[in-house]
Amino acid sequence: MSLMNVGVSALNANQQALTTVGHNIANVNTPGYSRQTVYTNALHGQNMGNGFIGKGVQVATVMRNYSALLNRQSNAANAIHAADTSRLQGLMQMQDVFKGGDGSLGAAVTNMMNAFVDVQAAPSDATGRNVVLTRMSELAARFHAASNMLEEQDYSTAQQLRNNALLVNDKASQVARLNNEISRALATGHQPNDLLDARDQVIREINQYVQTTQVAADDGSISLFVGGSQALVLGINSGQLSVEETKEYPGSQRMALYFSQPGGQQLELTAAMVGGGEIAGLLKFRNEDLAEGRNLLGRLAMTIGHELNLQNKRGLTLNGQQGGALFSLPTTSTGYGNITGYSNIGPGAATTQVMDASQLKPSEYRLIFEGSPVAPVLTRMSDGKVFNATSTPALNMANLGTGFKADGLLFTVPNATAAVAGNSMLFKPFSTAASEIEALVHNPDELAAASALTANINKNNTGKLQLTQLGANDFTGIPAAQDPVRLTFDGAGQVTYQIYDHLSSTWSAASAPMDYTPGQPITINGWSITLTGTPAAGDTVDVANALDFGEAFRLNAGNAGAFLDLRDKKVFDEGTTLSDGFSAAMAVVGTRTQSVQLAEKLSSTVAKNLEMDRTAVSGVNLDEEAARLLQYQQAYQASSKVIQIAQSLFDSVLNAVGR
């Protein structure tokens, strides 16, 4: 009977080992499954007087091959990789808005500006004027299409964020339920391997959306924390995440991740606090990358629109009227804040207004009130530049109420004295410019191609003067009707001017001498003339109001030439020309995309390596399992043979006794 018992114990142990190997093989492709191994120990032998005789074997437990350290490292790396991947996917889509080619915004800008060539050649020809107006309408349509693409991406990103938060909440409740089941199972003294694997897999899936840290308890449960210390899962209880508009800037559509605390309180978690996971990547993309895309696009629309509007107002239409705006643009943008009792709409709202389009920066701005007494601090969010009381110009509560100028914008916060320390405001001056730009002029006669000034180089001059450019910043400095201005050169690099008084038919006294440099503008009372060549002593040039010449002003294409000169005017970031503005925006988006792409490749490599390390410990190797299958099969057959021999011996004893 002892031999029989030994054989039966061996048979049972090997059968359980075979079952475990089969279980491993069956789950070779199951996500999160950890290879299991049967551990056995010998039954205590019985003292037979002449020594201890063994009584067989028993299964001690079934253990899973698992490393908590490697599992946590893999989860953290996968979370960071998921954040980089989701952000990269968003940037790759945003690049489609800033792509080159014939259908791009850059091509539309170039085509519109080049269309002024025909207007300059034939200023009274309606065909060339109509082409310019058509190109303007096409440019506005391109801006609208680009803005719509960003809006669609913004909407889909917001929806994905909300869906991810719901998924995390569902999986957190699964972890809490598994914690309960695992705690009960551990009371038996053995680990519920498959339940532990299931929980680890759910935690791994949670880290795809939001990075967590985990703390194991004595009862076998695991608590998960997000944002550093917020308990997403605590034992058998789970918290809730939600994605909503930030409460710091109501109405701004800026998103934030919120953790619901017991008692209904919500704690805002920034992308930096979340760390990794798709939610962190999407928040960073929506609040930073997509915002920069909007700012670049809006600044482009705002600057081009303002420059062309100003230039058209400096010229004369075919009807002899001062030109008007060519594009409709948002005049002001609202500031969003959390000042108690402060309205973000209406006449009392904080606003920004464009004052100098050539100084605009593609950025949002944050205004924070701090200190005692309260003082405002304005920060350009794109690079962190600060405007405060020590800046030039200085920022204080007084000039903030009347209007503070920075980066070509006028920031106005009426009733700023209502702010207290800790209040803040967010300004988005370019968020709607691309969607709101519209071509206003549809009548070719209203294109102000003629200059309000005309110049005449005296035919009796003996020098070699040539006119290259003539224009005015506005109409206030243009010579009055019938009051021309005469420039007289001394031949030694100096020039003076006189103003003719038609009432007395006399010239005024000569002005103080000014330096003349060929190719450099000569500026007088708000208008300028640029000449090239070398004048002789006594050479003169007369500049007059174009309307003094009646119908002849129609042939004046001076302002059309000024429109063409805008192509090379440096209006972006104090160094980029208008025609290169879109290329510069493409470069910014491309550089940011490339940077995130490199980060994604690095995090992908780290995540893959750590996952390989984890699976090297926990994964199922079919070759090893096949070898174990043969090993336990032979052991099982040998155990059966022991039982068979024991049965044969027992039968022999019975036969002997029966005789």
Side-chain angles (χ1 to χ4, degrees):
M1 290 298 296
S2 297
L3 184 59
M4 177 72 73
N5 291 335
V6 169
V8 170
S9 67
L11 191 70
N12 289 333
N14 290 315
Q15 182 183 17
Q16 293 183 40
L18 282 170
T19 302
T20 301
V21 171
H23 187 55
N24 290 338
I25 294 173
N27 288 281
V28 63
N29 295 315
T30 301
Y33 178 79
S34 299
R35 176 169 53 87
Q36 298 177 11
T37 303
V38 172
Y39 287 88
T40 60
N41 54 29
L43 291 172
H44 296 305
Q46 182 177 359
N47 189 353
M48 302 299 292
N50 56 352
F52 285 87
I53 304 299
K55 299 175 64 176
V57 66
Q58 67 178 359
V59 174
T61 190
V62 179
M63 296 290 293
R64 61 177 184 149
N65 293 266
Y66 171 79
S67 170
L69 175 61
L70 291 176
N71 192 61
R72 292 180 183 181
Q73 289 178 336
S74 178
N75 285 346
N78 284 329
I80 295 173
H81 179 232
D84 291 339
T85 299
S86 60
R87 187 182 177 198
L88 177 62
Q89 289 172 348
L91 280 166
M92 295 293 285
Q93 293 178 22
M94 194 173 77
Q95 271 195 313
D96 292 339
V97 177
F98 294 90
K99 64 182 179 181
D102 294 338
S104 69
L105 261 174
V109 174
T110 301
N111 292 338
M112 179 191 66
M113 299 306 299
N114 290 342
F116 283 99
V117 172
D118 293 336
V119 178
Q120 184 184 38
S124 60
D125 183 15
T127 301
R129 290 170 171 264
N130 277 318
V131 171
V132 170
L133 299 184
T134 300
R135 298 299 187 210
M136 289 181 180
S137 297
E138 289 177 355
L139 178 63
R142 294 274 179 89
F143 272 117
H144 292 170
S147 178
N148 289 338
M149 290 177 67
L150 293 182
E151 286 297 325
E152 291 175 3
Q153 196 170 2
D154 178 272
Y155 176 79
S156 62
T157 302
Q159 290 296 109
Q160 189 174 353
L161 277 166
R162 293 187 176 95
N163 291 337
N164 285 354
L166 293 175
L167 285 171
V168 170
N169 292 338
D170 178 64
K171 293 184 182 298
S173 63
Q174 293 181 38
V175 173
R177 176 179 54 80
L178 287 168
N179 274 343
N180 186 36
E181 295 180 15
I182 290 170
S183 296
R184 292 182 178 180
L186 285 173
T188 64
H190 296 282
Q191 290 189 355
N193 297 323
D194 295 314
L195 285 176
L196 292 171
D197 284 343
R199 185 177 65 183
D200 288 341
Q201 180 61 23
V202 175
I203 294 174
R204 193 171 294 114
E205 292 170 358
I206 289 176
N207 278 270
Q208 287 293 314
Y209 301 109
V210 59
Q211 186 172 353
T212 66
T213 54
Q214 56 190 70
V215 177
D218 293 337
D219 63 353
S221 65
I222 286 181
S223 296
L224 300 181
F225 298 88
V226 295
S229 59
Q230 307 309 313
L232 179 63
V233 177
L234 191 61
I236 61 174
N237 299 310
S238 61
Q240 294 287 309
L241 295 179
S242 61
V243 177
E244 304 172 17
E245 184 181 66
T246 176
K247 293 178 174 57
E248 186 177 11
Y249 307 116
S252 67
Q253 298 182 350
R254 201 173 179 86
M255 305 295 286
L257 180 66
Y258 286 91
F259 174 76
S260 296
Q261 297 176 311
Q265 296 179 342
Q266 286 187 322
L267 178 68
E268 181 176 338
L269 304 176
T270 64
M273 292 173 65
V274 175
E278 281 188 16
I279 291 178
L282 292 173
L283 279 175
K284 195 171 184 65
F285 168 73
R286 191 178 188 275
N287 291 340
E288 296 181 19
D289 303 323
L290 196 57
E292 181 174 38
R294 278 203 183 100
N295 291 332
L296 289 168
L297 190 66
R299 196 270 298 260
L300 189 68
M302 191 77 78
T303 302
I304 291 175
H306 270 270
E307 290 294 330
L308 267 68
N309 285 350
L310 287 175
Q311 195 60 54
N312 203 57
K313 291 177 181 179
R314 292 168 182 162
L316 295 172
T317 68
L318 276 178
N319 298 323
Q321 302 296 317
Q322 180 182 359
L326 295 174
F327 291 100
S328 172
L329 296 166
T331 55
T332 60
S333 63
T334 301
Y336 306 94
N338 57 3
I339 301 175
T340 302
Y342 209 89
S343 174
N344 290 327
I345 58 176
T351 60
T352 58
Q353 182 179 357
V354 176
M355 304 300 291
D356 184 355
S358 65
Q359 299 298 316
L360 298 178
K361 305 296 182 183
S363 177
E364 296 177 351
Y365 294 81
R366 178 184 287 121
L367 179 67
I368 300 176
F369 297 90
E370 56 185 33
S372 180
V374 175
V377 176
L378 182 70
T379 303
R380 188 168 66 205
M381 296 175 65
S382 61
D383 59 4
K385 181 177 180 179
V386 173
F387 303 87
N388 54 24
T390 62
S391 303
T392 303
L395 173 60
N396 53 54
M397 297 296 285
N399 62 12
L400 185 59
T402 58
F404 172 75
K405 295 180 181 179
D407 292 343
L409 295 168
L410 179 67
F411 295 85
T412 306
V413 184
N415 304 317
T417 53
V420 298
N423 286 156
S424 60
M425 304 198 78
L426 178 69
F427 293 94
K428 304 168 67 175
F430 311 112
S431 60
T432 62
S435 62
E436 294 185 20
I437 187 172
E438 295 286 353
L440 292 178
V441 176
H442 303 287
N443 184 345
D445 292 352
E446 296 179 11
L447 186 64
S451 172
L453 294 171
T454 185
N456 178 47
I457 298 177
N458 193 330
K459 64 181 180 180
N460 295 321
N461 288 348
T462 58
K464 297 180 179 179
L465 281 175
Q466 290 184 338
L467 176 67
T468 59
Q469 187 172 348
L470 180 65
N473 291 330
D474 52 48
F475 270 66
T476 59
I478 292 176
Q482 303 177 1
D483 290 337
V485 177
R486 174 167 292 172
L487 284 77
T488 303
F489 297 84
D490 65 358
Q494 297 280 297
V495 60
T496 60
Y497 71 88
Q498 299 168 277
I499 300 176
Y500 183 78
D501 184 354
H502 73 283
L503 295 177
S504 61
S505 300
T506 59
W507 291 93
S508 68
S511 68
M514 297 180 293
D515 292 333
Y516 165 69
T517 303
Q520 296 297 318
I522 302 170
T523 302
I524 302 172
N525 296 333
W527 58 269
S528 65
I529 182 172
T530 303
L531 300 160
T532 56
T534 304
D539 284 356
T540 61
V541 177
D542 291 340
V543 179
N545 191 310
L547 291 178
D548 288 349
F549 297 88
E551 295 297 321
F553 82 88
R554 296 177 183 271
L555 301 179
N556 172 4
N559 209 43
F563 274 113
L564 284 173
D565 291 338
L566 286 179
R567 294 179 299 184
D568 299 321
K569 183 179 179 181
K570 296 178 179 180
V571 295
F572 296 107
D573 302 319
E574 302 176 357
T576 303
T577 63
L578 187 144
S579 59
D580 290 335
F582 182 74
S583 299
M586 286 177 60
V588 171
V589 175
T591 301
R592 179 170 287 226
T593 303
Q594 186 178 36
S595 176
V596 175
Q597 196 169 32
L598 291 174
E600 189 274 337
K601 287 183 178 179
L602 177 60
S603 63
S604 174
T605 301
V606 173
K608 287 180 180 177
N609 289 340
L610 287 172
E611 181 64 12
M612 288 175 61
D613 291 342
R614 186 191 70 81
T615 55
V617 173
S618 301
V620 176
N621 186 311
L622 288 178
D623 292 336
E624 292 180 2
E625 298 306 314
R628 289 192 179 94
L629 191 64
L630 292 175
Q631 173 189 348
Y632 292 124
Q633 179 186 8
Q634 292 174 354
Y636 184 86
Q637 291 172 344
S639 301
S640 300
K641 191 66 174 177
V642 170
I643 296 174
Q644 182 181 357
I645 292 172
Q647 181 67 40
S648 177
L649 291 175
F650 188 68
D651 290 341
S652 298
V653 172
L654 288 178
N655 289 334
V657 173
R659 291 176 185 168

